[in-house]
Amino acid sequence: MPPRVLLILLLTALISVIVLGISELAFLEIESAGSAERQTTEARQQLEAMRQAMSQAESAQRGYLITADERYLQPFQGAIDRLRRSRADLLRLAALLPSLREPLQQMAPLIDEKLDELALTVHYSQQGNRIDAIQIVVSNRGVTLMEEIEKQGQRLRDELDRLAQARAADLHRIYLLQRLGVGLIVLLNLVFLAILGVRTVRHFTERDRHRAELARQAQALEHTVAERTEELSSLSSYLQASHEREKGRLARDLHDELGGILTAAKIDASWLEGFAAAGGPDVQQRMKRLQSSLDEAVELKRRVIEHLRPSLLDHLGLGPAVEWFVEETCGKAGLAHEVVLEDADAPVPPELAIAVYRIVQESMANAVQYANAKRVRVALAIGFHDLTLAVEDDGVGIADFRPDHLPQGIAGMRQRARSLGGSLSVETAPGQGTAIRVRFTLPQTPPTRDDDATAHGDGDLAAAAAPPP
């Protein structure tokens, strides 16, 4: 990853962490403001409950003083208890809301005095002293206490309203700061993402450009390789054709020149053999050894010529030449063999015929020397459009076989096939033998025999072996 892109990603991650921190701080602030709001609301409720309890206690007091009905005492006492609980709750809330302490401290003695007044009037009435109780009620002190209590209560309500407004302002400020902070962070993230996107697009553009350049270079290299391969293939075909022509020329020279020399030597040896009877046993023995040496030389010349340029290939065609070679090779090596020929007497271009013959030679050499085979099967089919060859053995196979790394002999066969537009495939496995399959596309025009091919028979030498009359 490019360092700048990595830096942008790290900054984006850092900003995301900052956003999370801001959100957590805002949540804590909101939670604190909400808690204060709940306390303010509770204080307002307790103040109102205390006011109602005070009113209910005063009403129950007057009802009892007027009627002396004992049923007013229970509501009176219940209102007194609620008032005291509300006052205790207000005092508890004042510990959390310091601004309420002063009004509550001023209200508390007034409430106590008012409660004492209410309790005293009820007590006087219960003792039968209703006149004193009524005098206390109609005195100005009770009214003054209520006015003072109401005044302090209004101060508490005003303070609670102020606290509520302050909490609302704090919440509005927190929400505003949170929105501004998150908006700023999101904006920075968008800027970083935009930079990252631009750099990513630029990176992909550069990568596509490099890919296109690499593809262009690869195409140019492939074109160059194809040209060089075609040149090498043409050169290989030319060298193989030149090699075969040189072998054919050498075979003709051996047949013509060495054959003539050996023929003359055989004639002279046959002529001398007629006079050897007059000599001693040593002369006759040497003449027989000379005749045997000349016969071995004639056989050696024949084998060399057949190896250089098979005479059967020129005289009888590809099929008989392949059949003769396989039978001769397997006979010498002691291999069971099967030769399957299908339309093998059809004419084949000379360069293709010699290529197929050489592939058969190399395949049989591999089967005899390396495969440790017991049986060989050769199938040759010459159709109207193509020629196919299969050489199969039941030998040990090729260990660690890789189609892209062929052994030297098989690679040479494949190159020979490719140089003539054919294909060669190998099927092998350890202990399961080897099968070499070749296919060539035949030209549509009728092929012609090689006019330069020369018969290499040795009938003249055989005839020369007879003694003169």
Side-chain angles (χ1 to χ4, degrees), residues 44-284:
R44 189 186 300 275
Q45 292 174 351
Q46 296 300 332
L47 182 62
E48 184 64 24
M50 189 174 65
R51 181 181 179 184
Q52 292 178 1
M54 181 71 73
S55 177
Q56 291 173 359
E58 196 171 34
S59 298
Q61 176 220 22
R62 284 180 170 78
Y64 180 70
L65 292 178
I66 295 173
T67 63
D69 189 351
E70 295 290 336
R71 289 179 297 178
Y72 282 101
L73 294 179
Q74 184 176 358
F76 174 78
Q77 190 62 42
I80 295 298
D81 293 338
R82 289 196 301 272
L83 190 148
R84 287 175 176 170
R85 285 197 300 270
S86 296
R87 185 180 66 173
D89 290 337
L90 275 176
L91 292 174
R92 176 180 56 80
L93 291 172
L96 302 175
L97 301 172
S99 60
L100 300 180
R101 293 176 184 175
E102 182 182 354
L104 281 175
Q105 289 175 357
Q106 295 180 5
M107 181 186 288
L110 299 175
I111 292 175
D112 290 338
E113 188 175 352
K114 182 63 179 177
L115 290 176
D116 292 340
E117 178 195 350
L118 293 174
L120 183 61
T121 57
V122 171
H123 178 71
Y124 281 166
S125 180
Q126 287 177 338
Q127 295 297 325
N129 193 2
R130 296 180 60 195
I131 296 174
D132 292 339
I134 292 175
Q135 286 180 352
I136 295 174
V137 172
V138 298
S139 66
N140 292 331
R141 183 57 184 169
V143 175
T144 303
L145 285 175
M146 288 302 298
E147 289 177 352
E148 290 295 329
I149 290 173
E150 181 63 24
K151 180 180 178 181
Q152 297 301 326
Q154 186 61 42
R155 284 185 61 189
L156 285 173
R157 286 190 289 272
D158 292 342
E159 182 61 25
L160 290 174
D161 290 340
R162 187 190 68 80
L163 290 176
Q165 293 176 358
R167 295 294 182 269
D170 289 342
L171 286 176
H172 178 73
R173 178 180 56 81
I174 292 171
Y175 286 135
L176 181 61
L177 290 176
Q178 183 184 23
R179 292 178 62 185
L180 290 177
V182 172
L184 179 61
I185 297 302
V186 170
L187 179 61
L188 290 176
N189 259 343
L190 290 176
V191 171
F192 287 143
L193 289 176
I195 296 174
L196 179 61
V198 170
R199 291 192 174 276
T200 302
V201 170
R202 186 181 302 170
H203 173 69
F204 281 117
T205 303
E206 289 292 328
R207 189 181 67 178
D208 292 341
R209 187 178 64 82
H210 285 307
R211 283 183 176 177
E213 180 65 21
L214 289 176
R216 187 188 63 79
Q217 294 178 0
Q219 185 176 5
L221 180 61
E222 184 178 355
H223 180 69
T224 303
V225 170
E227 289 182 348
R228 297 295 183 269
T229 302
E230 184 177 358
E231 292 177 0
L232 290 175
S233 180
S234 300
L235 178 60
S236 176
S237 300
Y238 172 77
L239 291 177
Q240 288 178 4
S242 299
H243 186 58
E244 294 297 336
R245 285 195 298 269
E246 184 64 23
K247 283 184 176 180
R249 186 191 62 80
L250 181 58
R252 289 193 299 272
D253 290 344
L254 287 175
H255 179 271
D256 295 340
E257 297 181 10
L258 183 59
I261 294 173
L262 291 176
T263 300
K266 287 283 289 184
I267 293 173
D268 291 340
S270 298
W271 184 81
L272 290 174
E273 190 176 4
F275 298 97
D282 294 338
V283 175
Q284 294 179 2

Side-chain angles (χ1 to χ4, degrees), residues 17-36:
V17 173
I18 294 175
V19 169
L20 179 61
I22 291 176
S23 299
E24 288 296 322
L25 291 176
F27 174 77
L28 294 176
E29 290 289 336
I30 293 171
E31 184 68 20
S32 176
S35 177

